[in-house]
Amino acid sequence: MRRAKRALPLVTVVLAVGVAVSGCGSESGTGGSGTGSGKESGKESRMDMQEAAERSDAMLDAVLKGIDPDVQWAHGPTTTRSCGVTRRRVVMTVVSADRRQTFLDRAETFWRTNDYRIKAVNKDEKFPAVYAVTEKGFGVSVSFRGKGQAFFEADSPCVKESKVADPTAEPNGPAYKDVYPLPRPNVRSDFWSGKTNQDS
């Protein structure tokens, strides 16, 4: 009888330890997806919204510099969600219907060259778009909307909540501060406003 009474607490302790260890494993592992995505989001969770916004700004700066000839742009609104932030750039240069695919191709080429993964390409005649993602989970896109205006967006993965300051990069044209919505494209470029399909 005494031996049986002693065995029960020992079995209980072993079971409790086993449950605790298995619980820790699933929590800090792959998040149940089996793809390692939990590990990546764990890395990004140490970044806060301000840091994510700054990284998004750098990505938008880079792709705009990668488009040749350059275009004039202004900051769009910044928005935050429960654990992420979105930065936006609005292109103020007129891009003709004949040049929109060339514009998208140059953005896509820049992202591919810099190891972004292209998630989707929308070939719609009026509202084409390209969507890409970085290995750290930042989503970036360029899309054409009303009046043929191009918009860039960068969405962060889930990060720590924090205050988010306005972008510090200076637009290469009017800032349109406190103007919303922004004007339609109003800057003409010999190349982007052209009506031919010749690239130069």
Side-chain angles (χ1 to χ4, degrees), residues 62 76 100 129 154 173:
R100 285 173 201 161

Side-chain angles (χ1 to χ4, degrees), residues 82-95:
S82 59
C83 66
V85 59
T86 300
R87 290 289 214 202
R88 296 176 175 86
R89 302 281 174 91
V90 183
V91 175
M92 304 309 297
T93 300
V94 175
V95 181

Side-chain angles (χ1 to χ4, degrees), residues 66 75 82 89 101 115 122 144 157 169 180 183 188:
H75 288 290
S82 59
R89 302 281 174 91
Q101 191 56 55
D115 297 325
N122 181 350
F144 281 92
Y180 188 81
R188 295 213 164 256

